[in-house]
Amino acid sequence: MGWVRLYAAVAVGGFRRYASYRAATAAGVFTNTVFGLILVYTYLALWEERPGLGGYDQAQAVTYVWLGQCLFATLAIQGGGAEKELMDRIRTGEIAVDLYRPVDLQLWWLAGDVGRALFQLLGRGVVPFLVGWLFFPMALPTEAGVWAAFAVAVLLAAVVSFAIRYLAALSVFWLLDGKGVGQMVMIAGVFFSGMVLPLNAFPGALGEVVRVLPWAAQLQMPADVLMGETGALRAFAFQAAWAVALLAVGRLVQSAATRRVVVQGG
């Protein structure tokens, strides 16, 4: 079980690393709270005109807003997680050090990103969510089992998020720069995850497409599990399928990419 302790230590290291950025965390809490307030009043006006939009009532729409602000940094929906550092290490050649480690490259970065996600959830996500709960009507469950299912859905969402961003980072082996890819990750993450508007509210064929893309596993599925709009097992199956598929593709791309690595003197 030594490998379990190893990756657990990497996750703890990721948690502690982000915990050291106290000013940035406080700024993030403030930003998410302000954006939450703006979105809440926008949603309330929209749902006043279109009651039941996306199958949500107003309380569910408000819950969705604050859940999005809670999970925004947790799931690195706009980017800025492990992939940013990984892109830099590939560009500078420092990735060679990672490849020399007697560990699995993908699991190493996944463990660190899970630690980062846990800190962002507790350090940056909880306060905006509590603000929403205190000042706005929200549709929150009272059953412990629903909250446990929600926690599993968030964990699976974090794995899917990492898998998407890991693939984006590996592209730097060929592109040599990650700025353009990072911008694409940001735009796709915000739009397709449902940060702007719940995916359930997207009309017609567009709605059908976005609801089966991997980004739907990040925010839409945890939200629907929490509010009882979908069965937990169905959500887990959807999220796990995308997690396994994307991680598998990541391994294939990683294998192809690392064959290109040339270390001076080796």
Side-chain angles (χ1 to χ4, degrees):
M1 299 296 289
W3 65 273
V4 175
R5 291 194 296 270
L6 170 65
Y7 294 117
V10 174
V12 170
F15 184 98
R16 289 177 175 173
R17 177 182 178 185
Y18 279 84
S20 64
Y21 301 122
R22 297 175 184 175
T25 299
V29 169
F30 176 78
T31 302
N32 285 126
T33 303
V34 170
F35 271 97
L37 291 170
I38 294 171
L39 282 174
V40 158
Y41 285 110
T42 302
Y43 273 38
L44 287 174
L46 178 59
W47 259 260
E48 187 71 29
E49 292 295 321
R50 294 286 303 276
L53 180 63
Y56 290 164
D57 58 27
Q58 279 194 339
Q60 289 175 311
V62 169
T63 304
Y64 187 92
V65 168
W66 290 111
L67 186 60
Q69 296 307 306
C70 176
L71 298 181
F72 181 76
T74 302
L75 302 179
I77 288 175
Q78 199 171 355
E83 83 287 350
K84 187 175 184 299
E85 182 181 358
L86 181 54
M87 286 177 177
D88 289 339
R89 293 182 72 82
I90 295 172
R91 180 180 58 82
T92 61
E94 292 177 285
I95 190 65
V97 176
D98 300 331
L99 294 173
Y100 272 125
R101 293 191 181 107
V103 296
D104 183 90
L105 183 69
Q106 189 183 55
L107 288 178
W108 174 277
W109 286 95
L110 173 58
D113 199 61
V114 168
R116 175 207 61 80
L118 180 59
F119 172 76
Q120 295 288 24
L121 176 65
L122 299 177
R124 181 169 169 173
V126 170
V127 172
F129 192 78
L130 289 176
V131 169
W133 175 69
L134 287 172
F135 296 102
F136 296 92
M138 293 175 65
L140 297 178
T142 56
E143 301 86 357
V146 177
W147 285 101
F150 169 70
V152 174
V154 170
L155 176 59
L156 289 171
V159 176
V160 172
S161 173
F162 167 80
I164 294 171
R165 292 179 285 110
Y166 188 73
L167 278 169
L170 292 178
S171 70
V172 179
F173 275 108
W174 289 273
L175 299 177
L176 306 182
D177 187 273
K179 293 180 181 177
V181 176
Q183 289 294 315
M184 292 175 61
V185 168
M186 177 187 71
I187 294 170
V190 171
F191 183 79
F192 291 115
S193 70
M195 275 299 302
V196 177
L197 192 68
L199 300 182
N200 293 343
F202 280 49
L206 176 61
E208 293 178 6
V209 171
V210 296
R211 285 190 289 271
V212 298
L213 293 178
W215 290 275
Q218 295 185 32
L219 177 56
Q220 189 68 59
M221 283 297 165
D224 282 346
V225 167
L226 184 67
M227 294 186 289
E229 290 296 312
T230 189
L233 293 180
R234 176 182 177 276
F236 297 163
F238 178 82
Q239 292 176 298
W242 272 118
V244 170
L246 291 170
L247 289 174
V249 173
R251 285 203 168 271
L252 292 175
V253 175
Q254 174 185 304
S255 178
T258 51
R259 285 199 295 269
R260 293 171 44 88
V261 176
V262 176
V263 180
Q264 185 172 355

